[in-house]
Amino acid sequence: MTAASLARAEPQWGPAQAGALNDRYSGRALDALADTLTDPAFGATALVSSFGADSAVLLHLAAQIRCDTPILFVETGWLFPETLRYAEDLSHHLGLTDVRWLSPLQATLDEKDPKRLRWSYDPDGCCDIRKVEPLDRALTGFDLWISGRKSHQNRARAQLSLFEPQGTRLKLNPLHNWSADQLRAYAAQHKLPPHPLVADGYPSIGCSPCTSRVQPGEDPRAGRWRGWDKSECGIHVPSEPGNDPVF
Ligand code: SF4
C-alpha cells in the first residue's frame, strides 16, 4: 500500500489510515518523517515545537530533510526568557527558515485573563486560550502535524504510537520510542545546543508559572503543573472517533 493510496486529493485522516500507516512504517519512524515532509500525498505538514528540553533532536532531523519545514511555536506570553532566546538561537543554528511564532489573541486575553492570573486557579482554561486556540488557528490548512512526544516522558504517553488520528488530521510522533539515552546520544553526536535550563534542573520546560525543578528519580515531567491533576496542556488530548478535533 502506498501513501498515495492512503490519501485523498484533499487528505482527511482517521483511525483506519493511521492504523495502516503504523503497519507500513513499523520500525521505520525516520522514513515516516522524511515521507511526510516530502511526499505530497500526505498533504500539508507542519512540525509543532515548544523549543523545550528535548526539542533540538526532532528539529535537527526535520532540518536535514527540509529547512523550510513550517515550525509552529506557541509563545504563550508566559515562557521563560531562556526559551525565547533558545528558540531564536536554535532556529538560526539549524538553518530553519519558516519558524512561526504564534500568540494568543489579545482580545481573548483581555476578556478571560486580564490580570494574568488564570494559570493560578484554572490552568486548563489558561492553556486553552494561550496554547490550544493559537495552535488550532495555526493548524488551519495543515493535514498532518509532527510532534516530539516520547513514550518515556510519563505514564500518559506510554502507549504512544507512530501515527495517530486527531480529528480530521493525522499526527506523527517520530520519536515515540526513543529513550532518554538515545536522545542524549543523538544530541551529543550532532553537537546540538541544549536548552539552558536543563542544566539547572528542568528536564521538561513549559511556561514559567507551571514549571518547577525535578528531583532525581522523579518523572521528567513531574515539574509540570506540580500540585495539579494535570499532565498535558490539551494540545495532545486524543479525539474519539466521530468527535470533532479536541484542541
Ligand atoms: S502552562 Fe500554565 S501559564 Fe502556560 S498556558 Fe498553561 S496554565 Fe497558562
Side-chain angles (χ1 to χ4, degrees):
M1 185 179 289
T2 65
S5 70
L6 289 160
R8 304 176 187 176
E10 292 184 4
Q12 189 170 26
W13 304 102
Q17 288 92 346
L21 286 166
N22 281 324
D23 291 342
R24 174 178 166 79
Y25 286 100
S26 177
R28 299 192 302 120
L30 297 187
D31 289 341
L33 176 64
D35 288 354
T36 54
L37 289 175
T38 57
D39 185 344
F42 283 97
T45 299
L47 188 156
V48 176
S49 180
S50 64
F51 284 87
D54 288 332
S55 297
V57 171
L58 180 57
L59 290 168
H60 180 264
L61 286 165
Q64 305 311 298
I65 301 164
R66 290 190 65 151
C67 64
D68 63 346
T69 297
I71 309 295
L72 307 183
F73 170 49
V74 184
E75 208 294 71
T76 62
W78 273 118
L79 295 182
F80 289 96
E82 289 88 342
T83 298
L84 304 183
R85 280 197 297 276
Y86 185 59
E88 290 180 351
D89 293 348
L90 186 61
S91 299
H92 180 72
H93 179 82
L94 298 177
L96 293 165
T97 61
D98 190 9
V99 180
R100 305 179 188 185
W101 290 48
L102 316 176
S103 301
L105 294 169
Q106 190 57 52
T108 303
L109 297 180
D110 290 346
E111 179 190 349
K112 297 187 174 177
D113 195 14
K115 295 183 178 176
R116 288 174 58 82
L117 287 172
R118 194 162 196 112
W119 62 269
S120 65
Y121 60 88
D122 177 23
D124 284 342
C126 185
C127 283
D128 280 347
I129 60 176
R130 292 182 178 273
K131 290 186 174 181
V132 179
E133 192 282 335
L135 180 61
D136 191 20
R137 240 182 316 123
L139 282 170
T140 302
F142 288 105
D143 304 292
L144 185 150
W145 56 290
I146 300 166
S147 150
R149 290 179 305 160
K150 276 76 68 177
S151 57
H152 73 259
Q153 287 175 311
N154 62 18
R155 274 179 295 176
R157 298 183 176 186
Q159 302 302 320
L160 269 185
S161 55
L162 181 60
F163 286 91
E164 55 182 338
Q166 185 153 349
T168 56
R169 295 190 182 93
L170 200 61
K171 189 156 57 174
L172 172 68
N173 305 303
L175 304 183
H176 71 113
N177 59 358
W178 284 43
S179 67
D181 285 345
Q182 283 177 294
L183 292 165
R184 275 192 289 271
Y186 184 97
Q189 180 186 355
H190 296 281
K191 298 182 171 55
L192 300 180
H195 191 299
L197 290 179
V198 173
D200 199 17
Y202 296 87
S204 178
I205 302 158
C207 293
S208 56
C210 305
T211 305
S212 57
R213 288 186 177 83
V214 168
Q215 301 305 313
E218 280 191 307
D219 183 303
R221 286 176 62 85
R224 305 289 293 276
W225 301 286
R226 194 181 285 280
W228 290 89
D229 182 19
K230 176 175 172 66
S231 61
E232 300 282 356
C233 61
I235 286 172
H236 296 295
V237 175
S239 57
E240 297 297 328
N243 283 0
D244 290 331
V246 179
F247 286 108

